[in-house]
Amino acid sequence: MIMNKVCLLILILTIFWLSGCKNSNENSYDLDIKEFKTGISVNLRGLSMVSGKVAWAAGQRGIYLVTTDGGEHWKTDSVPGAETLDFRSVWAFNRDTVILISAGTPARIYKTSDGGTNWKITFSSDNPSIFLNAIGFWNQMKGIVMGDPYD
């Protein structure tokens, strides 16, 4: 009986909430898509925008890119020792501090605090079942890494 009342209350609250979600311009955003020439021909799978000027991207063969001028110019490089890895996600805190994760084996998480001059492996696994997909952070100390389930 109590469970039925709880379910009914949740349903009523959901209906009230949805009825307040009007299709207004109040929460709409203009989408401006621009094409940028990076000068590379690898698949890029991760993108992290720090600001309108600073962005990081990462992809196949351990490659990462960074722009500090809104995409007019891109610095392209690869993480030393990661030339066979496929980066799936990137999280940039600012122009210097960035986290990269690779999918497949070995699964690795890299961090730089100096704009890519030096990279540190913060996690590594040779488990053939692990497959990291995405990362997100609340701040520089707390975040989450997500991957495919196994076992």
Side-chain angles (χ1 to χ4, degrees):
M1 185 70 157
I2 292 176
M3 187 62 149
N4 289 340
K5 288 181 181 181
V6 171
C7 289
L8 181 61
L9 178 62
I10 291 172
L11 177 63
I12 291 169
L13 291 175
T14 302
I15 290 170
F16 280 118
W17 180 77
L18 288 174
S19 66
C21 294
K22 297 178 184 171
N23 192 7
S24 70
N25 290 335
E26 205 172 300
N27 292 324
S28 67
Y29 301 96
D30 290 330
L31 182 60
D32 186 22
I33 299 174
K34 295 180 184 178
E35 182 178 342
F36 294 104
K37 302 291 183 188
T38 61
I40 62 167
S41 60
V42 300
N43 289 328
L44 299 174
R45 308 256 170 108
L47 175 66
S48 183
M49 302 289 299
V50 176
S51 67
K53 297 286 184 188
V54 178
W56 283 74
Q60 293 176 311
R61 298 196 301 257
I63 290 182
Y64 68 89
L65 296 87
V66 62
T67 182
T68 57
D69 60 8
E72 294 297 318
H73 301 92
W74 291 88
K75 172 190 168 191
T76 304
D77 207 344
S78 62
V79 176
E83 294 81 4
T84 62
L85 300 181
D86 181 14
F87 289 129
R88 285 293 171 106
S89 190
V90 55
W91 191 275
F93 297 100
N94 52 52
R95 70 185 300 164
D96 293 322
T97 306
V98 178
I99 306 282
L100 298 173
I101 66 168
S102 69
T105 307
R108 289 194 184 143
I109 301 175
Y110 289 88
K111 180 180 181 182
T112 183
S113 298
D114 56 14
T117 302
N118 297 290
W119 291 92
K120 178 182 176 185
I121 298 173
T122 61
F123 173 82
S124 183
S125 174
D126 290 325
N127 183 331
S129 298
I130 196 166
F131 195 94
L132 303 178
N133 290 307
I135 54 174
F137 284 84
W138 292 272
N139 57 47
Q140 288 196 32
M141 299 301 295
K142 294 181 181 178
I144 188 169
V145 177
M146 295 174 285
D148 291 357
Y150 68 93
D151 294 337

